[in-house]
Amino acid sequence: MILASLNGLRLALGLAAAMVLALAAGRLWEAGRRAGAAPLIAEAAALRAEAARSALEAEGARGQLARAEAAARASARLETETRARIDALNRLEDADAPLDPDRLLELRRADRGLCEPPGGPACRPAAADAPAGGGGALRGLRPAAGRDPG
């Protein structure tokens, strides 16, 4: 589908460039018959430069499209792998077991540490985070249905 749109873009740009050159050639021929071709030769050169600029812009657009598609594929692959790993972790036999309180405090400290460096990511506590004194299970691995897990 993308290749078809790129081929269509190339065809459209080729036709536009051909029309621009044909128009320039027609003007040159007509003006040469009437008064001399010097001013129109400069105009034809400007039109050729415009066609070359348009071709370069189209090439840049194709490159940008290719980079955006590669980034989208990488993002989709990462999301698929992340979901698979989260599902595998949630299937472990101790996935719902309560954490040791000391380990839970250590994890919370590390989580808060992510927010401390200047310019670091925004800090959002996990939605299922137990109170500081609690020893509940860590349940932040299960993504909410239809929502970004954070």
Side-chain angles (χ1 to χ4, degrees), residues 38-114:
L40 292 176
I41 290 175
E43 183 180 347
L47 289 172
R48 272 190 236 106
E50 177 68 21
R53 185 186 62 79
S54 295
L56 286 174
E57 285 178 354
E59 183 181 338
R62 285 191 301 270
Q64 184 178 9
L65 180 63
R67 288 186 300 277
E69 287 173 345
R73 283 191 303 270
S75 175
R77 187 174 54 247
L78 178 63
E79 182 176 344
T80 301
E81 290 176 11
T82 301
R83 286 185 192 278
R85 289 180 188 219
I86 288 173
D87 290 343
L89 288 172
N90 285 331
R91 283 192 300 269
L92 292 175
E93 66 183 58
D94 64 346
D96 291 325
L99 286 176
D100 177 47
D102 292 335
R103 177 68 177 144
L104 186 61
L105 286 173
E106 182 182 331
L107 289 171
R108 284 192 182 132
R109 222 172 301 138
D111 188 38
R112 282 190 298 270
L114 293 173

